[in-house]
Amino acid sequence: LQGAEEVDISSQNDFFQVLARGEANKRYGATAMNARSSRAHTVLAVALTHIEDERRAKSARRAAPAVVRSQLVLADLAGSEKISKSMVTGAGKKEAASINGGLFVLKKCIRALNEAKAHVPYLESKLTMLLKGAIGGSSRTFTLVTAAMDHTHASETVETLRFGEHCASVTNQARQHVTSLAEAVAAIDSALALCEAGIASLVARGKGEIPALKTLQAKRAALARRRADLSVTPAS
């Protein structure tokens, strides 16, 4: 994904700094419809891990502190602008096509969820792959739509409001799944072992330069960081 970056945070201040960086990296451009048009969708996904205090775990007669994982997803979707009205050309035209393509698949997913279809086409777009958990999973989802008051954009405004109505019709149910600290560590250790085995296999076969090795190494590093975070025992 263009512009994708993974950052470790440990405080509320860290979160706001990352949020500010994301806003600064957003790209805007002038079109015939909007003087400050977003030229791409922006998604910020925050993975949160809460480890129960040991005293609370003991009072609840649990052998080990419980671990609760959750994710906060903030998605700023670029507006759907008709190329015939925005008058963009060249790179701007490609950007508009990409923006509209992601929104089109998102609408397909919302429609499939409302109609309770067995197949929801999340994999047809990178945008919907990122938003899968938020729009059709165990989550609480809020959708805010904005529209122009200009009558020349009436058709786009109506389409946006209809999209908001369809989103409001989707029913999600947030469920809590709590694991013990020992189970969480064991799961990470298992994933680390698989990464190590995959890396060793590629190196043994002389495949040390292929992208798959770098992907496994990056995954191993991320798992190691999560393992280290879970190894920090909460203060009693």
Side-chain angles (χ1 to χ4, degrees):
L1 289 175
Q2 183 178 0
E5 183 180 358
E6 184 175 338
V7 181
D8 289 328
I9 60 174
S10 57
S11 66
Q12 188 179 63
N13 185 56
D14 289 345
F15 169 75
F16 286 123
Q17 288 182 0
V18 172
L19 188 63
R21 285 172 54 191
E23 178 63 27
N25 288 336
K26 289 177 63 176
R27 292 185 292 111
Y28 299 95
T31 71
M33 295 181 68
N34 189 349
R36 193 168 182 266
S37 175
S38 297
R39 305 317 300 154
H41 304 302
T42 304
V43 178
L44 172 65
V46 184
L48 304 170
T49 301
H50 172 72
I51 303 176
E52 184 182 34
D53 182 84
E54 283 191 344
R55 288 177 297 181
R56 180 172 296 181
K58 289 179 180 178
S59 66
R61 297 181 179 179
R62 279 190 283 271
V67 178
V68 179
R69 292 191 182 87
S70 57
Q71 187 179 56
L72 171 66
V73 179
L74 302 176
D76 182 7
L77 305 181
S80 178
E81 299 180 355
K82 294 181 179 178
I83 295 177
S84 59
K85 294 179 68 174
S86 64
M87 306 296 287
V88 290
T89 59
K93 189 174 183 179
K94 292 182 180 179
E95 290 172 343
S98 178
I99 290 169
N100 293 341
L103 293 175
F104 176 72
V105 177
L106 179 58
K107 291 178 183 178
K108 288 178 62 177
C109 291
I110 296 296
R111 186 182 307 115
L113 289 169
N114 279 323
E115 296 175 358
K117 290 187 175 180
H119 173 68
V120 182
Y122 294 116
L123 299 181
E124 291 186 13
S125 166
K126 294 178 181 178
L127 175 64
T128 48
M129 289 173 65
L130 290 171
L131 298 182
K132 177 180 177 181
I135 61 177
S138 171
S139 63
R140 293 180 179 177
T141 305
F142 299 88
T143 303
L144 175 66
V145 298
T146 60
M149 296 295 290
D150 192 334
H151 71 279
T152 59
H153 303 320
S155 62
E156 286 83 0
T157 298
V158 171
E159 186 67 23
T160 298
L161 293 176
R162 285 175 178 167
F163 172 71
E165 286 182 338
H166 293 156
C167 288
S169 299
V170 177
T171 301
N172 282 348
Q173 183 177 1
R175 297 179 296 275
Q176 188 178 62
H177 178 65
V178 182
T179 61
S180 70
L181 181 59
E183 290 174 336
V185 171
I188 293 177
D189 285 343
S190 178
L192 274 170
L194 288 175
C195 279
E196 293 287 359
I199 291 171
S201 176
L202 290 175
V203 172
R205 288 181 288 152
K207 305 288 186 179
E209 301 299 324
I210 65 173
L213 179 63
K214 294 182 179 180
T215 300
L216 282 173
Q217 290 172 334
K219 183 178 181 180
R220 178 181 62 183
L223 287 169
R225 289 195 297 270
R226 289 172 58 188
R227 178 67 167 78
D229 291 339
L230 291 179
S231 297
V232 179
T233 304
S236 57

